[in-house]
Amino acid sequence: MYQTKKVPALGNKKIRQALGMAIDRQAYVDTVLANGSVASTGLVPGGTSDGAGGEFRKTAGDTQPKFDAAKAKQLLAEGLAELGLKELPKMKVNADDTETAKKSLEFILAQWKQNLGYVAEANPVPHALRIELSSKHDFDIVLSLWGADYNDPMTFLDMWVTGGEFDEGDYSNPEYDKLVKAAQTETDVTKRAKALVDAEKILMDDQGVAPLYFRTRAYLKKPTINGLILPS
C-alpha cells in the first residue's frame, strides 16, 4: 500500500504503476511463499462471489497490470518527468518483523533495484507498531494483509473509498467512489456486480494499491474422513 498524499512521488499514477509492474509476482509466490498461494491478478481474490451467482475473478478477468520490467522502467521515467524529478526519493517500506515478511521485503526491494535501478529501505517492525503506523497514515509504503469478513467483493473494494476507515494510503478517485457507493445501494445484482468490477478496474489501473498474492491454506486429510468443512 502506498501513502499517496504525504509522499508526493507516490501521488503520481505512473510511479505507482511502475513500482507494481516491476515486481514478478509469480516468482514471489514460488520462491518466497512456496505455500500454494497464487500470484494476484486483481484486488479481489479467487473464490470470492461476485454477488450475482458467479465468481468475481471470472466475471472481472485479470485487472491488475502484468509484470513487465521494461514497461515499468518507462513508466518510472515518465512519472519522474511529470514531477520534475531526476530520481525517486529514498522511501521506507514497512512490514512486520516476521521471517516471511523480511524475506518479502528482501525480494521486493531486489526487484526494484534490478528492474528500476531504485533502492528503497526495508523497515521491518513489530506487528503492533506496523498497525499503529498504518492507522496513523505514517508510512511511505507498507506491506499488509487483508482477509475477507464475508464472501462478497465489497469487503475488499469499500476499503479504498476516499476518506474510508481503511484508506490508510489516502487513495482517492471520484469515479471509483461513485461506483462503490452505487453498488452499496443497487438492488439489481447484475448491475451491482458490474459496478464493482468497473471499480476494481479503476483501482488496479490507478495502482492505488498493488496486490501481490492471494493467500491459500493447505490441509492434509485422511481419505476416510468425509463431510469435513474446512475454513477458507
Side-chain angles (χ1 to χ4, degrees):
M1 179 165 53
Y2 307 119
Q3 175 40 250
T4 63
K5 186 176 181 180
K6 295 181 180 179
V7 183
L10 295 177
N12 183 275
K13 174 179 174 177
K14 289 181 179 178
I15 288 176
R16 296 194 304 270
Q17 289 175 326
L19 291 171
M21 203 177 292
I23 301 170
D24 187 338
R25 301 189 296 276
Q26 188 60 53
Y28 171 71
V29 298
D30 289 344
T31 62
V32 177
L33 301 180
N35 60 2
S37 291
V38 178
S40 61
T41 53
L43 177 70
V44 179
T48 305
S49 168
D50 66 0
E55 184 180 338
F56 186 87
R57 279 272 55 87
K58 292 179 180 178
T59 303
D62 295 353
T63 60
Q64 186 173 2
K66 297 182 183 299
F67 167 64
D68 187 332
K71 180 66 174 178
K73 200 165 187 177
Q74 176 189 334
L75 285 166
L76 177 61
E78 292 175 0
L80 290 173
E82 288 177 359
L83 295 173
L85 297 175
K86 292 184 177 180
E87 60 182 16
L88 272 182
K90 191 165 188 177
M91 294 181 283
K92 288 184 179 181
V93 184
N94 291 2
D96 291 344
D97 58 359
T98 63
E99 286 306 308
T100 298
K102 289 177 182 178
K103 289 179 181 177
S104 296
L105 282 173
E106 182 180 356
F107 180 89
I108 292 166
L109 267 59
Q111 288 276 288
W112 287 344
K113 183 177 181 180
Q114 175 182 326
N115 297 324
L116 298 175
Y118 174 60
V119 178
E121 180 181 346
N123 188 38
V125 296
H127 176 74
L129 178 56
R130 194 261 294 171
I131 295 295
E132 178 184 352
L133 292 172
S134 294
S135 67
K136 292 179 178 179
H137 302 210
D138 185 12
F139 61 91
D140 299 331
I141 301 172
V142 61
L143 302 185
S144 57
L145 301 171
W146 183 257
D149 294 317
Y150 50 95
N151 188 12
D152 188 88
M154 188 63 81
T155 191
F156 294 95
L157 293 168
D158 66 1
M159 297 173 66
W160 312 104
V161 171
T162 302
E165 180 182 359
F166 295 103
D167 183 25
E168 295 165 342
D170 294 310
Y171 170 74
S172 181
N173 183 307
E175 186 60 28
Y176 179 84
D177 294 348
K178 181 180 176 181
L179 287 165
V180 173
K181 289 177 180 178
Q184 289 173 335
T185 56
E186 179 59 67
T187 56
D188 184 311
V189 294
T190 301
K191 290 181 180 178
R192 178 181 183 273
K194 183 180 185 306
L196 292 175
V197 167
D198 290 345
E200 191 197 56
K201 288 178 179 178
I202 289 173
L203 181 63
M204 290 296 93
D205 179 61
D206 278 348
Q207 284 291 275
V209 60
L212 290 171
Y213 68 102
F214 301 146
R215 281 184 290 177
T216 60
R217 292 178 179 173
Y219 297 92
L220 183 64
K221 183 180 80 68
K222 287 184 178 181
T224 54
I225 296 177
N226 296 308
L228 178 65
I229 299 175
L230 299 172
S232 58

